[in-house]
Amino acid sequence: MPTDAPTDTSQRTHDLVIAANRLPVDRVVDADGTQSWRTSPGGLVTAMEAVMKGREGAWVGWAGETGEAPAPFVENGLHLHPVPLSQQEVTDYYEGFSNDTLWPIYHDVIVPAGFHRSWWQAYRTVNERFARAVADVAAQGATVWIHDYQLQLVPELLRAMRPDVRIGWFNHIPFPPVELFAQLPWRGGILEGLLGADYLGFQRSADAQNFVRACRQVLGLTTKGDTVTVPGTGSRRARVVRASAVPISIDSAGLEALAMTPAVQERAAAIRASLGSPKVVLLGVDRLDYTKGIRHRLKAYEELLAEGAIKPPDVTFVQVATPSRERVAAYRQLRTEVETTVGRINGQYGELGVAAIHYLHHSYPREEMAALFQAADVMLVTPLRDGMNLVAKEYVTCRHDEGGALVLSEFTGAWHEMHQAFVCNPHDIEGLKQTILRAIHTDAKDKRRIMRALRRRVSEHDVQLWAKRFLEALATAPERPSAKDRATS
Ligand code: ADQ
């Protein structure tokens, strides 16, 4: 069988194929037992809907249930191709290698990474399955857009199967400095996997530079600016791979329209009233992840309470912590620590009917999130490391009244675009406390000026622009080294 032809010719093929660990749908079961799929809301789906309009693109990913995968289906105009994962693969490839090896290494080793050869083996096996699934649905010369750290081997595996397709990969999380990346026993294999792409997109130029440097230092390849030259082998020609920054964003027009609806505005007022109409509402919204700096935020808040710098019921703090990766030990431990701290703070500083912290361990619909953002005077975004952080962009987008203040960690990708925010280093608890107080007490007129600038930045750089820029960079990425590069490599 020729390697460049789809293996299942009965299947129709697509000019644009997205591959991500998860399909953008969840199975819902009604009260009467009827099952259907619901598109999961989110920026990626919105961005992809925009680029797929009129192109009938396909999306390859896991449907979220172990065992046999459902047959391909169409939902909301998207052609979805489920990839099966066994329970053991979810444990080893997803919870293990992706979230307990790569995630800590790519986030400054905030917790130690686990290294297990069986996890790496499962990661390879699953990446091969994804590559095969993409090869099967990609039309001749198709554009393939692969997402994130779970699928770093897919570019090269796919290139070997389908040299005719154009391959791009986008990293939603940071790419670590080579000193940390080099800890990975499989560092060479990962870089080689990524170098199968024509174009690699990162959140920040520092991430792209880290990748290029790793190629030079770990693989000894020739690099120049934002490009890496991959030498030819056997029948394969030498290629040039480009790596640069294309920061992700949100569907700002869609979210702003939602935030402006009377229902959301009424709900925002109702939230404030239910909190006892405090003068200042502080808000944190995060997946319950150790990268998000929730413990540091709580420590700063507790010290401000202890010092009497802020006092409930005038000031209150709402922390929304979405359940996340609860089968990974570091996440279970974080949850215990956060919940113990919240209990201690409320026990010490709360009164009957007056909580010092409102802690919500749930997922909410978009409308409720928009109302929460509008109800918050100060948004606390304090990650120790974060690829981008969409919450920061969502918050300013929901503040169409130009009210509110954003405290933003300098270790987020978002900070590189949102310099006007109240910047903080979450490791510096004293500094974080002062920044929170400044965000509370700065003159309303100055805060409005800051908010206006932040809002302009996000509305002019939305998720549709991100997708357009990524696809343009992929379409124009160099294929072969120039004569000059060949002479120097
Ligand atoms: P995440 O680490 O998940 O994403 P983030 O960018 O903040 O982080 O996105 C979280 C999303 O979940 C936001 O849209 C937020 O509104 C939503 N959310 C959070 N809590 C919620 C809740 N309780 N209910 C409902 N929705 C909730 C990864 C990277 C980031 C990068 C994104 C996109 O880690 O750095 O910004 O991908 O590339």
Side-chain angles (χ1 to χ4, degrees):
M1 187 189 307
T3 52
D4 61 349
T7 50
D8 177 3
T9 43
S10 64
Q11 229 167 278
R12 63 165 291 191
T13 58
H14 301 263
D15 291 333
L16 176 64
V17 182
I18 307 297
N21 174 60
R22 269 298 257 125
L23 284 174
V25 288
D26 292 308
R27 196 194 285 275
V28 281
V29 184
D30 291 341
D32 65 358
T34 331
Q35 300 198 359
S36 58
W37 295 96
R38 187 178 48 208
T39 312
S40 28
L44 196 54
V45 184
T46 316
M48 294 307 132
E49 273 170 1
V51 296
M52 283 192 181
K53 230 176 240 155
R55 297 181 73 163
E56 297 243 329
W59 191 313
V60 172
W62 181 47
E65 293 159 2
T66 54
E68 213 176 303
F73 58 101
V74 180
E75 182 66 34
N76 241 346
L78 291 173
H79 294 255
L80 304 177
H81 291 264
V83 174
L85 290 184
S86 68
Q87 186 53 55
Q88 193 62 45
E89 284 167 345
V90 171
T91 304
D92 294 348
Y93 142 80
Y94 182 67
E95 292 164 353
F97 198 77
S98 298
N99 289 333
D100 213 9
T101 305
L102 294 173
W103 184 269
I105 293 272
Y106 284 36
H107 288 88
D108 292 357
V109 199
I110 297 164
V111 305
F115 297 126
H116 298 284
R117 281 163 282 186
S118 55
W119 289 359
W120 165 247
Q121 196 44 51
Y123 186 79
R124 280 200 61 90
T125 303
V126 172
N127 271 248
E128 274 160 18
R129 194 174 304 146
F130 268 80
R132 173 48 62 201
V134 173
D136 283 350
V137 298
Q140 188 69 27
T143 295
V144 177
W145 185 351
I146 302 156
H147 289 266
D148 233 357
Y149 61 103
Q150 301 93 349
L151 302 181
Q152 293 177 95
L153 307 184
V154 174
E156 173 55 26
L157 292 165
L158 178 61
R159 179 167 296 280
M161 295 172 194
R162 292 291 304 274
D164 59 297
V165 299
R166 198 142 184 89
I167 305 170
W169 176 81
F170 180 77
N171 195 29
H172 290 257
I173 67 173
F175 196 88
V178 65
E179 291 77 7
L180 294 180
F181 182 76
Q183 289 183 16
L184 272 173
W186 309 279
R187 59 202 188 183
I190 287 178
L191 294 175
E192 282 160 7
L194 290 171
L195 286 168
D198 296 287
Y199 173 67
L200 300 161
F202 296 85
Q203 302 277 26
R204 304 173 307 152
S205 41
D207 297 313
Q209 284 156 17
N210 285 344
F211 170 78
V212 170
R213 204 169 299 131
C215 290
R216 195 165 61 236
Q217 293 188 16
V218 175
L219 297 181
L221 295 181
T222 301
T223 67
K224 187 169 155 205
D226 61 4
T227 61
V228 181
T229 301
V230 183
T233 47
S235 60
R236 288 174 73 169
R237 289 190 312 227
R239 298 167 40 244
V240 168
V241 178
R242 185 165 167 244
S244 70
V246 260
I248 198 170
S249 192
I250 59 165
D251 174 25
S252 61
L255 182 59
E256 186 177 55
L258 178 72
M260 284 175 127
T261 57
V264 167
Q265 295 188 44
E266 280 159 25
R267 178 66 192 142
I271 289 171
R272 285 192 78 99
S274 72
L275 293 170
S277 302
K279 290 196 184 109
V280 179
V281 175
L282 305 172
L283 176 66
V285 170
D286 315 81
R287 263 189 319 98
L288 192 41
D289 194 301
Y290 50 78
T291 58
K292 302 291 182 181
I294 303 171
R295 282 180 295 210
H296 296 65
R297 196 182 304 164
L298 288 172
K299 189 167 178 54
Y301 184 63
E302 186 172 16
E303 289 190 15
L304 287 171
L305 289 167
E307 292 160 9
I310 54 177
K311 203 169 163 12
D314 282 357
V315 176
T316 197
F317 178 19
V318 179
Q319 175 63 54
V320 181
T322 322
S324 185
R325 305 177 189 170
E326 298 198 312
R327 286 162 51 95
V328 179
Y331 288 76
R332 283 199 302 273
Q333 193 190 330
L334 172 71
R335 181 173 174 189
T336 306
E337 274 181 51
V338 165
E339 294 184 352
T340 306
T341 309
V342 168
R344 187 181 63 234
I345 295 175
N346 271 334
Q348 181 93 16
Y349 301 101
E351 301 278 347
L352 276 179
V354 181
I357 305 186
H358 299 263
Y359 170 75
L360 306 163
H361 187 241
H362 309 288
S363 253
Y364 290 101
R366 266 158 46 85
E367 293 75 6
E368 183 70 1
M369 299 303 289
L372 273 164
F373 289 139
Q374 264 185 46
D377 300 290
V378 179
M379 183 78 217
L380 300 175
V381 178
T382 62
L384 308 177
R385 180 60 70 196
D386 212 335
M388 175 52 63
N389 195 288
L390 297 179
V391 168
K393 294 186 171 184
E394 290 166 353
Y395 175 64
V396 302
T397 299
C398 287
R399 297 312 306 247
H400 48 80
D401 59 342
E402 297 178 350
L406 173 66
V407 170
L408 184 58
S409 161
E410 64 187 274
F411 303 116
T412 61
W415 182 72
H416 293 262
E417 294 179 74
M418 301 172 87
H419 277 119
Q420 299 91 342
F422 290 88
V423 63
C424 72
N425 167 3
H427 297 283
D428 171 10
I429 300 296
E430 203 51 49
L432 176 56
K433 284 157 60 184
Q434 296 313 316
T435 308
I436 294 172
L437 292 178
R438 261 196 315 122
I440 293 174
H441 297 300
T442 295
D443 184 65
K445 207 165 111 241
D446 289 337
K447 283 202 272 204
R448 197 162 302 123
R449 186 176 42 75
I450 294 171
M451 186 52 74
R452 206 174 300 138
L454 293 173
R455 286 174 48 72
R456 192 177 319 121
R457 168 75 204 186
V458 177
S459 74
E460 287 172 1
H461 294 81
D462 63 6
V463 76
Q464 287 85 356
L465 180 65
W466 165 74
K468 186 166 168 280
R469 285 184 52 200
F470 180 92
L471 288 172
E472 274 168 12
L474 175 55
T476 57
E479 278 171 33
R480 288 203 260 165
S482 66
K484 200 160 131 256
D485 286 342
R486 276 201 300 275
T488 55
S489 63

